[in-house]
Amino acid sequence: MDPPPLEGVIKDVVCAFCGCVCDDIEVTIKGGVIESVKGACGLGLAKLLNYSRERVYSPMVRRSQSFVEVSFEEAVEEAADILVNAKYPLLYGWSSTSNEAVRLGVELAELVGGVIDDTSVTCHGPTTLALQETGVVTATLGQLKNRADLMVYWGCNPGHAHPRHTVRYSAMAKGRFVKGRRERRIVVVDVRETPTAKMADLFVKVQQGMDYELLTALRMAVKGYTIEVEEVAGVPRNMIFKLADMLTSAKFGVIFFGMGVTMTAGKGRNVEEAIRLVQELNDHTKFTILAMRGHYNVTGSGAVMTWLTGYPYAVDFSRGYPRYNPGVTSSTDILMRGDADAALIVASDPVSHFPMKAVENLSRIPVVVIDPRWSPTAAIANVFIPSAFVGIEVEGTVYRMDKVPIRAKKLLEPPPGVKSDVEILQALIDRVKARKLKGGG
Ligand code: SF4
């Protein structure tokens, strides 16, 4: 590929921030840096304009409680030492890097007999379990934009988390057959009236943690059963029947759901119930369901792990072959139990997101961090290797939330000496292999 221009406008840039993976951004480069951005939302804009903040440009290792700068080779050597000497290393992160890097992560996990897990353990892991349990009727965002005349947002607030979702793919989007908001009905089911709820035709306020009950009541209403109580999950019976009517009378519907469904009481069972509702709605009309995935490549990391191991996350190689048992082999559970004796964290910040007990145990073991920027997790690392930003300083393949693969572009050269995740992981694999050949682990 030709080197990126130092000056000029680059069109159709891919925003590597959230699961929408918008690929229509325009970026102006001046003097080798991003000068302006057109078309991105506030989140994408902030990432593209501030990518050079909180960067570290040299690999570092911890010596007597402080960090010292070292060469790339020394950092890789020390990281390989940590992984080869561990009995049960955890390789966590992966949702904010390319599929090519995840592929190498799986190879490394197998080599060192560790567990590879991505951030879905704290977001849509229960969705994955539910999809495996029940199967799913789904569609791409393109199909939904063109055809869906009823859109339900359940336990998600794209107004804040996926700001261009409604404009580019859903409520407001101009489709081929459904021309826009005026030809669509919008429903929001949530525990509070969010900004997304304010634009809905119907807002259904569900009691906290009672999504399963409401979904079950909706299934009953869709099947024509009587609901004997006045309200379910804080929703009046007449509103449940009204919503059931809206769902069955749509020509093509979709439920977009978020962590308000997956991370509240019921978790994966909520998702199973939502999928069953959608399956039953297909007796009446065409209906689909799609998870609102957060990180820009959390869908891709799960897909790559599935191609290579048969399992989408929490894959354990400690017996020499892949095993999968979320709740046991998932990163939060491993760290809560204190089972991992080393960790490699790639493009992620578990210290800011994991339960306190897991963070305490993570801080007690040797940790290698590969990340473009400094973070609370980097602060507890034994080895820190800075990496280039995917979609800014290095290209790579990522998967949008609907599993459509998109090639993220390289816009700029990375800072001198800063390598891509792919280059760093390949160097680490080569060192681990060399150490193992020498009988070092
Ligand atoms: S919606 Fe997401 S992918 Fe699109 S521009 Fe905003 S942050 Fe980027």
Side-chain angles (χ1 to χ4, degrees):
M1 188 188 163
D2 294 335
L6 286 178
E7 303 274 340
V9 175
I10 307 178
K11 291 186 188 292
D12 300 329
V13 167
V14 172
C15 174
F17 188 89
C18 84
C20 287
V21 194
C22 300
D23 56 356
D24 59 345
I25 312 295
E26 191 177 298
V27 169
T28 303
I29 308 283
K30 197 161 183 195
V33 296
I34 295 176
E35 188 196 51
S36 62
V37 176
K38 269 194 209 161
C41 69
L43 299 176
L45 188 71
K47 174 162 180 177
L48 285 161
L49 289 180
N50 298 307
Y51 74 97
S52 58
R53 282 203 192 168
E54 291 153 20
R55 297 294 290 273
V56 177
Y57 298 117
S58 170
M60 298 197 289
V61 298
R62 189 180 289 278
R63 296 272 183 267
S64 313
Q65 295 312 310
S66 49
F67 285 104
V68 294
E69 292 187 5
V70 294
S71 68
F72 176 73
E73 290 72 23
E74 284 173 277
V76 168
E77 188 71 39
E78 192 142 338
D81 265 352
I82 288 172
L83 293 175
V84 168
N85 291 328
K87 286 197 168 65
Y88 195 50
L90 171 66
L91 290 76
Y92 174 80
W94 310 107
S95 308
S96 293
T97 187
S98 64
N99 287 352
E100 292 82 354
V102 182
R103 187 181 69 73
L104 293 174
V106 174
E107 183 178 346
L108 186 57
E110 185 171 16
L111 267 175
V112 298
V115 172
I116 184 162
D117 196 12
D118 71 12
T119 58
S120 61
V121 73
T122 56
C123 57
H124 277 280
T127 301
T128 305
L129 298 180
L131 301 189
Q132 291 175 334
E133 188 70 26
T134 50
V136 69
V137 191
T138 192
T140 66
L141 289 167
Q143 288 169 308
L144 296 172
K145 175 181 96 166
N146 287 325
R147 296 175 187 276
D149 62 341
L150 176 68
M151 294 181 165
V152 180
Y153 300 92
W154 195 311
C156 59
N157 180 18
H160 284 175
H162 301 86
R164 293 188 73 216
H165 191 281
T166 54
V167 181
R168 195 152 193 259
Y169 306 113
S170 57
M172 315 289 191
K174 191 173 173 201
R176 184 162 175 197
F177 306 111
V178 180
K179 302 288 181 202
R181 175 69 183 89
R182 264 184 284 177
E183 295 185 16
R184 271 188 198 110
R185 286 172 304 161
I186 303 299
V187 177
V188 170
V189 183
D190 216 322
V191 294
R192 69 180 70 85
E193 195 175 359
T194 60
T196 309
K198 288 194 174 30
M199 66 162 188
D201 298 295
L202 179 68
F203 169 54
V204 179
K205 188 171 178 181
V206 60
Q207 224 169 304
Q208 174 87 41
M210 303 277 287
D211 301 80
Y212 187 92
E213 287 79 352
L214 181 57
L215 285 160
T216 305
L218 270 173
R219 287 181 64 196
M220 290 174 67
V222 166
K223 287 189 162 194
Y225 294 147
T226 308
I227 297 175
E228 289 168 1
V229 290
E230 288 295 319
E231 60 172 50
V232 177
V235 181
R237 181 172 51 196
N238 61 353
M239 191 182 271
I240 294 171
F241 279 102
K242 180 178 175 182
L243 177 52
D245 277 347
M246 287 175 81
L247 299 177
T248 51
S249 61
K251 286 194 186 124
F252 191 124
V254 56
I255 297 176
F256 296 111
F257 68 98
M259 286 167 62
V261 176
T262 66
M263 284 291 153
T264 53
K267 299 182 88 172
R269 298 294 178 204
N270 296 336
V271 183
E272 282 175 30
E273 198 66 354
I275 293 172
R276 289 200 183 96
L277 171 65
V278 166
Q279 287 167 343
E280 287 160 9
L281 284 167
N282 277 284
D283 291 341
H284 301 265
T285 182
K286 173 76 185 162
F287 227 96
T288 58
I289 184 165
L290 187 65
M292 300 283 276
R293 305 304 301 269
H295 295 84
Y296 70 85
N297 197 30
V298 65
T299 307
S301 64
V304 173
M305 288 186 213
T306 308
W307 304 333
L308 294 171
T309 72
Y311 304 119
Y313 70 112
V315 188
D316 184 329
F317 284 98
S318 61
R319 292 189 190 166
Y321 55 88
R323 288 184 303 137
Y324 163 72
N325 190 2
V328 177
T329 61
S330 28
S331 46
T332 40
D333 300 279
I334 288 170
L335 287 172
M336 296 280 273
R337 293 194 304 268
D339 285 354
D341 56 352
L344 168 69
I345 311 293
V346 177
S348 188
D349 183 16
V351 167
S352 299
H353 301 105
F354 274 13
M356 184 57 76
K357 180 85 183 153
V359 173
E360 279 171 16
N361 286 335
L362 183 65
S363 67
R364 291 195 184 105
I365 60 177
V367 175
V368 179
V369 171
I370 300 172
D371 204 302
R373 59 167 47 129
W374 197 248
S375 68
T377 304
I380 66 158
N382 296 71
V383 179
F384 179 84
I385 305 178
S387 58
F389 270 113
V390 175
I392 299 178
E393 297 161 340
V394 62
E395 63 175 346
T397 306
V398 303
Y399 273 26
R400 207 167 61 184
M401 63 169 73
D402 54 353
K403 296 201 174 91
V404 170
I406 293 177
R407 188 76 181 160
K409 288 182 177 176
K410 175 176 176 172
L411 314 178
L412 300 159
E413 288 300 330
V418 172
K419 298 184 187 300
S420 68
D421 290 330
V422 167
E423 290 170 313
I424 299 166
L425 288 162
Q426 189 59 61
L428 202 43
I429 287 170
D430 293 344
R431 276 320 299 154
V432 167
K433 280 183 176 167
R435 293 289 306 272
K436 284 188 167 275
L437 275 176
K438 279 202 302 189

